[in-house]
Amino acid sequence: MSRPVRIALAALATAALSAAVLTGCGGSSLPDGVVAQVDGQDITRAELDQSLAQQKQAAEQQQQDFPEAGSDEYVALERQALESMVFQRIVLLEARACGAPCRATPAQIARERKKIIAQNFSGDAKKFTDFLQEQKLDEAAREAHTAEGRRLKEEVVAHEEAVREAESGLEAAVRRLPNFL
């Protein structure tokens, strides 16, 4: 099963379970005090209440109204907070799953070097070489820095893609949920 499908299924299952827990529907198999689980990790009522307390405090500091507990607005806010917590856990799990270091090929390094020269040295390779010498960087160090930069960029792109896919899956899952609240 692909990662985006896993994310979407996890989000859908967790969101449905969360909605049922928040509304008191169904016989939840969650332990007491737990409002949701993501890959076996608990999200507790205390964590959810803490998140809502922080939101209330922020609203008060900005002299904004905060809904009364039990009101429709409060229940909607509670649901949004839980969905956000679920999403954060999913993203964290996916980031950990993507944690294996990326490897840059010599061709990727050469392409990145050309981009760096074009963007930062007006396309002048001699200016780039002079810069490296001024910084006391030899060819091996330059290649290592370029490879590390490429690896970090790839890692960021992969994480951003995982986040976008998770967000999309979560949004789709939430849209499919019956309106429990």
Side-chain angles (χ1 to χ4, degrees), residues 26-101:
S28 170
S29 61
L30 294 174
D32 287 342
V34 175
V35 293
Q37 286 182 329
V38 178
D39 197 34
Q41 296 180 9
D42 294 344
I43 297 176
T44 65
R45 168 54 70 183
E47 289 174 295
L48 181 58
D49 290 344
Q50 177 65 31
S51 175
L52 292 167
Q54 289 171 348
Q55 290 181 37
K56 182 177 181 178
Q57 183 180 20
E60 289 171 352
Q61 287 175 348
Q62 296 173 6
Q63 299 176 350
Q64 296 177 345
D65 292 332
F66 191 81
E68 290 293 323
S71 69
D72 290 344
E73 294 84 10
Y74 185 87
V75 171
L77 188 62
E78 184 179 47
R79 181 177 179 175
Q80 289 172 352
L82 182 56
E83 288 171 0
S84 175
M85 294 171 80
V86 167
F87 179 72
Q88 289 170 357
R89 298 282 172 96
I90 291 170
V91 169
L92 181 60
L93 289 168
E94 286 304 308
R96 286 181 183 150
C98 293

Side-chain angles (χ1 to χ4, degrees), residues 112-124:
E112 194 65 26
R113 182 179 188 268
K114 285 180 184 178
K115 282 183 6 186
I116 290 169
I117 292 170
Q119 292 173 352
N120 300 300
F121 299 93
S122 304
D124 188 337

Side-chain angles (χ1 to χ4, degrees), residues 15 18 72 87 94 101-102 104 121 141-142 148-149 152 164 173-174:
S18 301
D72 290 344
F87 179 72
E94 286 304 308
C102 300
F121 299 93
R142 177 185 54 102
E148 178 65 8
L152 292 172
R164 280 192 301 276
V174 169

Side-chain angles (χ1 to χ4, degrees), residues 92-151:
L92 181 60
L93 289 168
E94 286 304 308
R96 286 181 183 150
C98 293
C102 300
R103 302 284 183 228
T105 66
Q108 290 171 322
I109 292 170
R111 278 194 310 272
E112 194 65 26
R113 182 179 188 268
K114 285 180 184 178
K115 282 183 6 186
I116 290 169
I117 292 170
Q119 292 173 352
N120 300 300
F121 299 93
S122 304
D124 188 337
K126 178 155 178 21
K127 285 182 183 178
F128 179 63
T129 302
D130 291 345
F131 171 79
L132 292 176
Q133 288 174 349
E134 288 172 14
Q135 301 300 313
K136 300 188 182 348
L137 296 173
D138 61 10
E139 186 71 19
R142 177 185 54 102
E143 286 184 19
H145 285 291
T146 302
E148 178 65 8
R150 177 70 177 168
R151 183 192 68 76

